Amino acid sequence: ILLGAAVMAVLASGIERVLIRPFDPANHLPVVLVTFGVAYILQAVAAWKFGTEFKSFPSPFPSGPNDHIEIAGARLRYERLGVVLVLMIMVGLVHLILNKTKIGLAFRAVSSNTESARLVGVRTGRTLNFGWVLAAMFGGVAGGLVAHFTQLDSGFMDKILIFSFAAATLGGLDSINGAVIGGLIIGLVESPVQPMVRDYVPGFGFLTSDLALLVAFLLILAVLLVKPAGLFGT
């Protein structure tokens, strides 16, 4: 997983330098289109290389039938506790980097106002490249952690990406703590919805996990209509 995260960091740095930097960072539409295109190209390459059938992925933590602890009747598995712990460490690292380092200050300046940051001497290209590297590293680790809990194929992160957008939109796109809280709210809202609707609402027995995506989309729509900045965004 760590090697994969390192490879992703190098790849992301190259993508930013070759494909993203020629565009104006203040114009988000071309950047979004290019990144989606690159994502689907990488998925196609992965499907060509490894096939399109579903695969299993081992857990980096103990995942046997007896690898759990019980607290007040709740069974907590080591693999899920390990994932939560690693995610907490990653969130803490991002918070420290962005708020306690010089490159983090530059990154926040560029994110807030690219032109003003450039005028005061911030090297915007290098700073944005750092953001891509950081995102790719943590994204690679996160993908390796979650792959055990789902069916692994070339596009398995697509659904997770939608939930991530929903969490970030709900919590606030410029708030790390808000994104964490938004993710917890998304999980608490969507997890019980599908089985409850399927089992208790007549005519909806056919529902699959895709209903969870509907919940995520509805949350994104509601937040954008009512409070576009999110719960903790500015």
Side-chain angles (χ1 to χ4, degrees):
I1 292 176
L2 295 178
L3 178 61
V7 172
M8 287 305 303
V10 175
L11 180 62
S13 178
I15 291 174
E16 190 280 332
R17 187 65 184 87
V18 176
L19 298 178
I20 303 300
R21 196 171 300 186
F23 296 99
D24 180 6
N27 188 2
H28 294 183
L29 181 58
V31 176
V32 171
L33 293 177
V34 170
T35 53
F36 273 112
V38 171
Y40 284 114
I41 291 173
L42 293 176
Q43 287 184 11
V45 172
W48 165 73
K49 178 65 177 178
F50 301 105
T52 56
E53 67 278 3
F54 291 116
K55 294 178 172 61
S56 61
F57 192 83
S59 172
F61 306 103
S63 57
N66 298 320
D67 291 323
H68 64 269
I69 59 175
E70 291 193 9
I71 300 177
R75 179 173 295 181
L76 304 178
R77 301 190 60 81
Y78 293 152
E79 55 184 348
R80 294 189 179 273
L81 291 175
V83 169
V84 172
L85 178 61
V86 173
L87 292 179
M88 290 175 62
I89 292 174
M90 289 198 299
V91 170
L93 286 174
V94 172
H95 179 80
L96 289 175
I97 291 172
L98 294 183
N99 293 280
K100 302 296 183 180
T101 67
K102 187 175 181 179
I103 185 66
L105 177 62
F107 185 77
R108 287 188 288 126
V110 173
S111 300
S112 176
N113 192 312
T114 305
E115 201 59 41
S116 295
R118 185 181 290 119
L119 289 174
V120 297
V122 175
R123 302 183 65 174
T124 56
R126 179 179 294 182
T127 303
L128 291 174
N129 192 276
F130 161 78
W132 272 72
V133 169
L134 194 66
M137 287 176 57
F138 288 146
V141 173
L145 293 177
V146 78
H148 174 68
F149 300 103
T150 184
Q151 292 177 315
L152 179 63
D153 70 335
S154 60
F156 85 102
M157 289 293 284
D158 287 347
K159 184 180 295 186
I160 298 171
L161 179 65
I162 295 175
F163 291 130
S164 301
F165 276 135
T169 305
L170 177 60
L173 291 173
D174 59 350
S175 172
I176 298 176
N177 296 332
V180 174
I181 296 174
L184 292 174
I185 294 174
I186 293 293
L188 292 173
V189 170
E190 65 89 8
S191 294
V193 166
Q194 181 224 334
M196 288 179 63
V197 174
R198 182 189 60 207
D199 296 338
Y200 293 105
V201 179
F204 283 84
F206 63 91
L207 287 175
T208 65
S209 59
D210 289 338
L211 180 63
L213 295 178
L214 175 61
V215 174
F217 275 120
L218 290 177
L219 277 171
I220 293 175
L221 180 61
V223 172
L224 291 178
L225 288 174
V226 177
K227 198 174 188 301
L231 297 177
F232 302 96
T234 57

